Amino acid sequence: MGTQFDFPGGIHPPDNKLRSLQTPIRQAPLPDRLTVPLRQHRGDPGRVVVAVGDHVLTGQPLSEGQPGRSVPVHAPTSGTITAIKSHEVPHASGLEETCILIEADGRDQWYKLAPCPDSASTAERYDHLHRTGVVGLGGAGFPTRDKLQSAEAAPDVLILNGAECEPYITADQALMRERPDSVVAGALALWRLVGAGRCLIGIEDNKPDAIEALRQSAEGTSVEIRVVATRYPSGGERQLIQLLTGLEVPSGGLPADVGVLCQNVATAVAVDRSLRLGEPVIQRITTLTGEALARPGNIEARIGTPLDHLLFEAGLDPQRLHRLIMGGPLMGFDLTTTGLPLIKTANCLIAGTAGEFPDPPVPQPCIRCGLCEQACPVDLLPQQLYWFASAGEHRKAEHFDLFDCIECGACDWVCPSHLPLTEYYRHSKGVLRQEQKEQAEADHARQRFEERQARLEREQAEREERRRARQQAREQRHNVAPAEASEAATAAATSPTAPGPDRETLIQRRDQARQKVEEAQAQLAEAREQTPEAVPKLERALNKHQKRLDAAEKALSDAQEDT
Amino acid sequence: MWMNLLLAIATLLLLAGAFGALLGYASVRLRRDDDSLVEQIDAVLPQTQCGQCGYPGCRPYAEAIAEGDAINKCPPGGEATIQSLANLLDVEPQPLDAEHGEEQPKRVAYIREAECIGCTKCIQACPVDAIVGAPKFMHTVIESECTGCDLCVDPCPVDCIDMIEVARGIDDWVPPHPADRPLTHDGPVIATDQRPAEASA
């Protein structure tokens, strides 16, 4: 069944998928040591809730989510935490981030899992998904709860993305053809959760086995299997939505804006297992492929498994390895070391040989042929963006909708000059994001500075005011004093010490002083028992208060004698 | 003849005088809003409030620039700020004036807490209230609020404040410009001999 809708552009690269589809999904043996990065999603890392030396069970939370987009991670197997430290993580930058290192005890004892109760409200179910660490498993790693919450009303259409359009990757295809029931169960679970009008599973026509399996499993349910023509990047979220519904997600908007929710098929399975069994995301299916592997295929491995462990399982020939890519050949990034852990978003690992992935030819100047413009699936002007990005005119690139670029790499693929166009766009986006961040920081600093200035001025004004008031009072007293003196003289018979404080004030003062002395005595008694080093200081304080009390009492008695 | 000449000169003088008066009046009456210019300049400045430009904060420097001061006195902003100012004011960008300091990576103040005597001098110096503490109690810097201006370092009587470079994590990482990346090999340069192995075979 074809579709009546279309998206612009797209390319047809050789898909190279068969190599990893010869065998069923294998289980990776448990490694001895695992490295769990705190951040395996788009957002901020969670807060660690375990300590070095703790023994953890499989599925036990290692971190907890913080406000904002911060998703917890869980222990992939039972064992002891040996370190919590910076470790290289799979990222294009090759930088380090905080990871939790676990030494497996080999018993793989499970933590007590709590399924989501049937009585739970939708919001509680979302939170349950968050607690079990569910993020988009298609590659972007967007926290699932936040995606589900992005729609204010129930979406019209729920789309499960099983298109998997990028060459080499077959993790979703393997899942769909071997576990179609769990995919359909996941679709139904998500559907119930978000209450959409329809539920479609979008899948490319180069996966007949998966289509057949899903059709059989979906029989008797209202889940529709929609087959789309094979074309890269039909598996891009916005492109698949356009193919299946004809709706275009607006620039800078979300699928929710057109009443669509799109989730990857593997994510749907994870959602189902999280709700029904309480199982956190601690394993995933990942494709191991490339000519440098003797036993390519799909492997179900625990998160945190070292990549060299997986590559060894797949029979890596280090002599032939030329490029190691995480993700697909078009959107993935190169890894420089195999000592990295498997993360939630790692759907594919390609160990390519030099023949398979030759070094890119030296880029030639852009000849303005316009092929990139024809290939662009979002109708941008790639060559224009390239001119701006390469000249450092990032603002202009932004005006040409740079941020609508999905970085699919279709323009690179067709460029006859072999320009690494997407790299330019990524750089440009990075610079602009950094600028935005710095601007936000500067604005924040300005606000704090201005508020401080205002506060200082206010304090200064208050001081001025007080000083003036005092001065006025003094002047008044000065003027009034002679008059008062004569009055006092007449009253001398009853009160010879005329301009002193009256009796009530003195009593008040004495009471205050007495209270202070009592407080100091209590503190001293407490300090004697608990903090002996503070005793001398407190004794001095008590003496001081005692003297004040004596003085106050004396003043009072003097006043009383006088009257 | 002379009459005509005088008449022409008089006419021109009159016209010049009239237009001059008009322009003069317009420049006073329709004066460019200085405040909005200062706002715009202030928005470009990095807001570290460090005073390295010689003015007590970014806003005063913005006012000085609006009055015609040089635009190259801001070391924390560096080349990027000078470029933005040059664009905004439509003047030639100049290199950073070394007299006012050098461009440095972003730093934040760090108080060695064991040595702090609680004198509050740094708190008074901080232009953005990024230091918490009280008399005779240990002080500490709120890292996220610190602009790295240096102003707290000098007043400290026990020299317990260090300026440390901010560790740049994945969030701050900017993908490199492809032209800056070293070429992985020196392959064919001309498109027609792209595959030398096949060509020779």
Side-chain angles (χ1 to χ4, degrees), chain A residues 39 91 93 97 360 364 389-390 418 423-424 426-427 430-431 434 437 439 442 444-446 448-449 452 455, chain B residues 42-43 46-47 49 124 126-129 145 147 168 170-178 181 185 189 194:
Chain A
R39 169 152 61 175
H91 187 267
S93 65
E97 275 212 316
Q364 309 284 321
S390 61
H418 308 289
E423 274 181 49
Y424 281 101
R426 287 204 189 108
H427 168 72
V431 172
Q434 197 64 23
K437 203 171 132 191
Q439 189 61 50
H444 184 69
R446 174 174 25 243
R448 284 183 78 91
F449 175 70
R452 180 176 192 268
R455 193 193 72 218
Chain B
D42 196 31
Q47 304 302 324
Q49 318 294 354
Q124 289 157 34
C126 179
V128 289
D129 285 336
E145 307 295 347
T147 62
R168 295 180 83 81
I170 283 181
D171 285 335
D172 299 309
W173 181 72
V174 174
H177 193 280
R181 189 193 50 179
H185 75 139
V189 177
Q194 257 184 12

Side-chain angles (χ1 to χ4, degrees), chain B residues 7-179:
Chain B
L7 201 66
I9 289 170
T11 312
L12 284 175
L13 276 178
L14 201 70
L15 278 173
F19 281 115
L22 191 69
L23 282 174
Y25 175 73
S27 77
V28 174
R29 187 65 208 267
L30 306 171
R31 197 186 166 85
R32 180 159 175 194
D33 195 352
D34 258 358
D35 268 3
S36 81
L37 182 65
V38 171
E39 292 286 328
Q40 281 174 32
I41 297 170
D42 196 31
V44 171
L45 294 174
Q47 304 302 324
T48 41
Q49 318 294 354
C50 62
Q52 289 180 72
C53 51
Y55 295 94
C58 294
R59 174 109 197 163
Y61 181 42
E63 281 161 12
I65 292 176
E67 297 290 321
D69 200 353
I71 59 169
N72 60 349
K73 295 185 176 178
C74 179
E79 293 299 323
T81 297
I82 294 172
Q83 192 63 49
S84 312
L85 285 173
N87 285 345
L88 177 69
L89 303 169
D90 201 17
V91 293
E92 276 301 303
Q94 301 149 310
L96 184 66
D97 190 349
E99 201 181 295
H100 296 277
E102 285 165 16
E103 194 172 354
Q104 279 172 326
K106 174 150 166 51
R107 302 184 304 165
V108 288
Y110 173 78
I111 295 177
R112 290 196 299 277
E113 287 163 359
E115 292 166 39
C116 173
I117 55 166
C119 69
T120 75
K121 289 212 163 67
C122 56
I123 295 182
Q124 289 157 34
C126 179
V128 289
D129 285 336
I131 303 177
V132 275
K136 297 191 181 165
F137 283 93
M138 181 203 79
H139 306 340
T140 197
V141 178
I142 311 170
E143 195 193 321
S144 60
E145 307 295 347
C146 177
T147 62
C149 68
D150 255 15
L151 292 180
C152 53
V153 176
D154 275 345
C156 181
V158 290
D159 275 341
C160 72
I161 305 181
D162 292 324
M163 296 303 294
I164 51 176
E165 247 177 64
V166 186
R168 295 180 83 81
I170 283 181
D171 285 335
D172 299 309
W173 181 72
V174 174
H177 193 280

Side-chain angles (χ1 to χ4, degrees), chain A residues 149-162:
Chain A
Q149 278 174 345
S150 66
E152 274 161 26
D156 303 326
V157 191
L158 167 68
I159 292 176
L160 255 60
N161 189 342

Side-chain angles (χ1 to χ4, degrees), chain A residues 370-449:
Chain A
L371 284 179
C372 49
E373 190 269 320
Q374 287 165 31
C376 182
V378 272
D379 265 346
L380 298 178
L381 297 172
Q383 56 176 345
Q384 207 58 40
L385 293 176
Y386 159 71
W387 286 112
F388 293 139
S390 61
E393 298 190 75
H394 308 298
R395 285 287 155 85
K396 285 189 185 165
E398 196 182 3
H399 291 148
F400 276 71
D401 300 315
L402 173 70
F403 280 97
D404 283 333
C405 168
I406 58 168
E407 298 174 25
C408 66
C411 47
D412 296 7
W413 176 263
V414 297
C415 182
S417 293
H418 308 289
L419 287 162
L421 295 165
T422 313
E423 274 181 49
Y424 281 101
Y425 309 149
R426 287 204 189 108
H427 168 72
S428 232
K429 282 183 182 178
V431 172
L432 286 167
R433 285 206 188 98
Q434 197 64 23
E435 268 178 20
Q436 256 166 24
K437 203 171 132 191
E438 274 164 18
Q439 189 61 50
E441 275 170 10
D443 288 344
H444 184 69
R446 174 174 25 243
Q447 196 189 349
R448 284 183 78 91
F449 175 70

Side-chain angles (χ1 to χ4, degrees), chain A residues 23-26 173-182 210 213 298:
Chain A
T23 52
I25 299 170
R26 285 174 285 167
Q173 184 173 359
L175 173 75
M176 288 185 289
R177 74 174 186 185
E178 286 175 48
R179 302 173 189 170
D181 291 341
S182 62
N298 282 290

